[in-house]
PDB file of all heavy atoms in Angstrom:
ATOM      1  N   VAL A  14      15.074 -21.476 -34.159  1.00  0.00           N
ATOM      2  CA  VAL A  14      16.429 -21.093 -34.437  1.00  0.00           C
ATOM      3  C   VAL A  14      16.781 -21.606 -35.927  1.00  0.00           C
ATOM      4  O   VAL A  14      17.274 -20.844 -36.728  1.00  0.00           O
ATOM      5  CB  VAL A  14      17.447 -21.539 -33.456  1.00  0.00           C
ATOM      6  CG1 VAL A  14      18.875 -21.303 -33.907  1.00  0.00           C
ATOM      7  CG2 VAL A  14      17.143 -20.934 -32.005  1.00  0.00           C
ATOM      8  N   VAL A  15      16.573 -22.890 -36.206  1.00  0.00           N
ATOM      9  CA  VAL A  15      16.783 -23.393 -37.474  1.00  0.00           C
ATOM     10  C   VAL A  15      16.057 -22.561 -38.600  1.00  0.00           C
ATOM     11  O   VAL A  15      16.583 -22.275 -39.619  1.00  0.00           O
ATOM     12  CB  VAL A  15      16.490 -24.867 -37.520  1.00  0.00           C
ATOM     13  CG1 VAL A  15      16.462 -25.387 -38.984  1.00  0.00           C
ATOM     14  CG2 VAL A  15      17.487 -25.655 -36.740  1.00  0.00           C
ATOM     15  N   GLY A  16      14.763 -22.304 -38.280  1.00  0.00           N
ATOM     16  CA  GLY A  16      13.953 -21.603 -39.267  1.00  0.00           C
ATOM     17  C   GLY A  16      14.300 -20.112 -39.423  1.00  0.00           C
ATOM     18  O   GLY A  16      13.605 -19.490 -40.264  1.00  0.00           O
ATOM     19  N   SER A  17      15.195 -19.614 -38.646  1.00  0.00           N
ATOM     20  CA  SER A  17      15.432 -18.163 -38.712  1.00  0.00           C
ATOM     21  C   SER A  17      16.266 -17.743 -39.910  1.00  0.00           C
ATOM     22  O   SER A  17      16.384 -16.541 -40.226  1.00  0.00           O
ATOM     23  CB  SER A  17      16.122 -17.654 -37.344  1.00  0.00           C
ATOM     24  OG  SER A  17      17.448 -18.220 -37.238  1.00  0.00           O
ATOM     25  N   VAL A  18      16.859 -18.737 -40.545  1.00  0.00           N
ATOM     26  CA  VAL A  18      17.604 -18.482 -41.763  1.00  0.00           C
ATOM     27  C   VAL A  18      17.273 -19.341 -42.918  1.00  0.00           C
ATOM     28  O   VAL A  18      17.199 -20.605 -42.735  1.00  0.00           O
ATOM     29  CB  VAL A  18      19.175 -18.719 -41.455  1.00  0.00           C
ATOM     30  CG1 VAL A  18      20.049 -18.481 -42.735  1.00  0.00           C
ATOM     31  CG2 VAL A  18      19.674 -17.733 -40.346  1.00  0.00           C
ATOM     32  N   ASP A  20      18.083 -21.308 -45.369  1.00  0.00           N
ATOM     33  CA  ASP A  20      19.283 -21.937 -45.897  1.00  0.00           C
ATOM     34  C   ASP A  20      18.908 -23.333 -46.429  1.00  0.00           C
ATOM     35  O   ASP A  20      19.822 -24.138 -46.626  1.00  0.00           O
ATOM     36  CB  ASP A  20      20.427 -22.002 -44.874  1.00  0.00           C
ATOM     37  CG  ASP A  20      20.029 -22.824 -43.675  1.00  0.00           C
ATOM     38  OD1 ASP A  20      18.875 -23.320 -43.573  1.00  0.00           O
ATOM     39  OD2 ASP A  20      20.870 -22.905 -42.716  1.00  0.00           O
ATOM     40  N   LEU A  33      22.656 -27.737 -35.885  1.00  0.00           N
ATOM     41  CA  LEU A  33      22.536 -26.728 -34.722  1.00  0.00           C
ATOM     42  C   LEU A  33      23.001 -27.405 -33.462  1.00  0.00           C
ATOM     43  O   LEU A  33      23.726 -26.788 -32.644  1.00  0.00           O
ATOM     44  CB  LEU A  33      21.034 -26.350 -34.496  1.00  0.00           C
ATOM     45  CG  LEU A  33      20.706 -25.483 -33.302  1.00  0.00           C
ATOM     46  CD1 LEU A  33      21.457 -24.162 -33.347  1.00  0.00           C
ATOM     47  CD2 LEU A  33      19.220 -25.190 -33.290  1.00  0.00           C
ATOM     48  N   ARG A  36      26.730 -27.462 -33.414  1.00  0.00           N
ATOM     49  CA  ARG A  36      27.259 -26.080 -33.261  1.00  0.00           C
ATOM     50  C   ARG A  36      27.153 -25.645 -31.774  1.00  0.00           C
ATOM     51  O   ARG A  36      28.083 -25.054 -31.193  1.00  0.00           O
ATOM     52  CB  ARG A  36      26.520 -25.047 -34.126  1.00  0.00           C
ATOM     53  CG  ARG A  36      27.148 -23.643 -34.066  1.00  0.00           C
ATOM     54  CD  ARG A  36      26.362 -22.599 -34.825  1.00  0.00           C
ATOM     55  NE  ARG A  36      26.082 -23.001 -36.254  1.00  0.00           N
ATOM     56  CZ  ARG A  36      24.871 -23.205 -36.686  1.00  0.00           C
ATOM     57  NH1 ARG A  36      23.819 -22.873 -36.012  1.00  0.00           N
ATOM     58  NH2 ARG A  36      24.583 -23.528 -37.962  1.00  0.00           N
ATOM     59  N   PRO A  43      27.852 -18.049 -27.516  1.00  0.00           N
ATOM     60  CA  PRO A  43      28.934 -17.057 -27.516  1.00  0.00           C
ATOM     61  C   PRO A  43      28.568 -15.759 -26.708  1.00  0.00           C
ATOM     62  O   PRO A  43      27.447 -15.424 -26.601  1.00  0.00           O
ATOM     63  CB  PRO A  43      28.823 -16.686 -29.166  1.00  0.00           C
ATOM     64  CG  PRO A  43      28.329 -17.922 -29.738  1.00  0.00           C
ATOM     65  CD  PRO A  43      27.330 -18.470 -28.779  1.00  0.00           C
ATOM     66  N   PRO A 117      17.605 -15.963 -31.935  1.00  0.00           N
ATOM     67  CA  PRO A 117      18.334 -16.952 -32.514  1.00  0.00           C
ATOM     68  C   PRO A 117      19.757 -16.525 -32.787  1.00  0.00           C
ATOM     69  O   PRO A 117      20.654 -17.445 -32.763  1.00  0.00           O
ATOM     70  CB  PRO A 117      17.589 -17.221 -33.847  1.00  0.00           C
ATOM     71  CG  PRO A 117      16.189 -16.908 -33.510  1.00  0.00           C
ATOM     72  CD  PRO A 117      16.302 -15.744 -32.689  1.00  0.00           C
ATOM     73  N   ARG A 118      20.009 -15.298 -33.055  1.00  0.00           N
ATOM     74  CA  ARG A 118      21.393 -14.897 -33.445  1.00  0.00           C
ATOM     75  C   ARG A 118      22.369 -15.231 -32.207  1.00  0.00           C
ATOM     76  O   ARG A 118      23.515 -15.315 -32.494  1.00  0.00           O
ATOM     77  CB  ARG A 118      21.484 -13.389 -33.683  1.00  0.00           C
ATOM     78  CG  ARG A 118      20.826 -13.028 -35.031  1.00  0.00           C
ATOM     79  CD  ARG A 118      21.009 -11.635 -35.290  1.00  0.00           C
ATOM     80  NE  ARG A 118      20.463 -11.160 -36.514  1.00  0.00           N
ATOM     81  CZ  ARG A 118      20.200  -9.934 -36.872  1.00  0.00           C
ATOM     82  NH1 ARG A 118      20.564  -8.906 -36.074  1.00  0.00           N
ATOM     83  NH2 ARG A 118      19.660  -9.735 -38.067  1.00  0.00           N
ATOM     84  N   ALA A 119      21.872 -15.345 -31.080  1.00  0.00           N
ATOM     85  CA  ALA A 119      22.729 -15.600 -29.942  1.00  0.00           C
ATOM     86  C   ALA A 119      23.445 -16.994 -30.128  1.00  0.00           C
ATOM     87  O   ALA A 119      24.577 -17.148 -29.585  1.00  0.00           O
ATOM     88  CB  ALA A 119      21.901 -15.668 -28.606  1.00  0.00           C
ATOM     89  N   VAL A 120      22.878 -17.895 -30.888  1.00  0.00           N
ATOM     90  CA  VAL A 120      23.476 -19.237 -31.034  1.00  0.00           C
ATOM     91  C   VAL A 120      23.659 -19.582 -32.523  1.00  0.00           C
ATOM     92  O   VAL A 120      24.188 -20.701 -32.760  1.00  0.00           O
ATOM     93  CB  VAL A 120      22.619 -20.347 -30.332  1.00  0.00           C
ATOM     94  CG1 VAL A 120      22.637 -20.047 -28.843  1.00  0.00           C
ATOM     95  CG2 VAL A 120      21.290 -20.398 -30.880  1.00  0.00           C
ATOM     96  N   ARG A 121      23.217 -18.755 -33.401  1.00  0.00           N
ATOM     97  CA  ARG A 121      23.349 -19.186 -34.841  1.00  0.00           C
ATOM     98  C   ARG A 121      24.777 -19.304 -35.390  1.00  0.00           C
ATOM     99  O   ARG A 121      25.036 -20.176 -36.177  1.00  0.00           O
ATOM    100  CB  ARG A 121      22.563 -18.177 -35.695  1.00  0.00           C
ATOM    101  CG  ARG A 121      21.139 -18.329 -35.833  1.00  0.00           C
ATOM    102  CD  ARG A 121      20.596 -19.397 -36.561  1.00  0.00           C
ATOM    103  NE  ARG A 121      21.167 -19.691 -37.864  1.00  0.00           N
ATOM    104  CZ  ARG A 121      20.778 -20.663 -38.694  1.00  0.00           C
ATOM    105  NH1 ARG A 121      19.753 -21.435 -38.319  1.00  0.00           N
ATOM    106  NH2 ARG A 121      21.419 -20.957 -39.724  1.00  0.00           N
ATOM    107  N   GLY A 122      25.669 -18.417 -34.854  1.00  0.00           N
ATOM    108  CA  GLY A 122      27.031 -18.510 -35.455  1.00  0.00           C
ATOM    109  C   GLY A 122      27.044 -18.007 -36.874  1.00  0.00           C
ATOM    110  O   GLY A 122      26.045 -17.505 -37.354  1.00  0.00           O
ATOM    111  N   GLU A 123      28.176 -18.135 -37.494  1.00  0.00           N
ATOM    112  CA  GLU A 123      28.342 -17.622 -38.840  1.00  0.00           C
ATOM    113  C   GLU A 123      28.297 -18.700 -39.885  1.00  0.00           C
ATOM    114  O   GLU A 123      28.263 -18.491 -41.063  1.00  0.00           O
ATOM    115  CB  GLU A 123      29.648 -16.854 -38.929  1.00  0.00           C
ATOM    116  CG  GLU A 123      29.702 -15.656 -38.081  1.00  0.00           C
ATOM    117  CD  GLU A 123      28.694 -14.648 -38.417  1.00  0.00           C
ATOM    118  OE1 GLU A 123      28.361 -14.369 -39.621  1.00  0.00           O
ATOM    119  OE2 GLU A 123      28.057 -14.094 -37.509  1.00  0.00           O
ATOM    120  N   SER A 124      28.415 -19.954 -39.363  1.00  0.00           N
ATOM    121  CA  SER A 124      28.351 -21.079 -40.300  1.00  0.00           C
ATOM    122  C   SER A 124      26.991 -21.447 -40.812  1.00  0.00           C
ATOM    123  O   SER A 124      26.034 -21.124 -40.282  1.00  0.00           O
ATOM    124  CB  SER A 124      29.074 -22.314 -39.751  1.00  0.00           C
ATOM    125  OG  SER A 124      28.438 -22.736 -38.587  1.00  0.00           O
TER     126      SER A 124
END
Side-chain angles (χ1 to χ4, degrees):
V14 172
V15 165
S17 68
V18 175
D20 61 2
L33 173 60
R36 184 181 313 117
R118 286 184 183 167
V120 296
R121 282 286 318 180
E123 296 301 317
S124 60

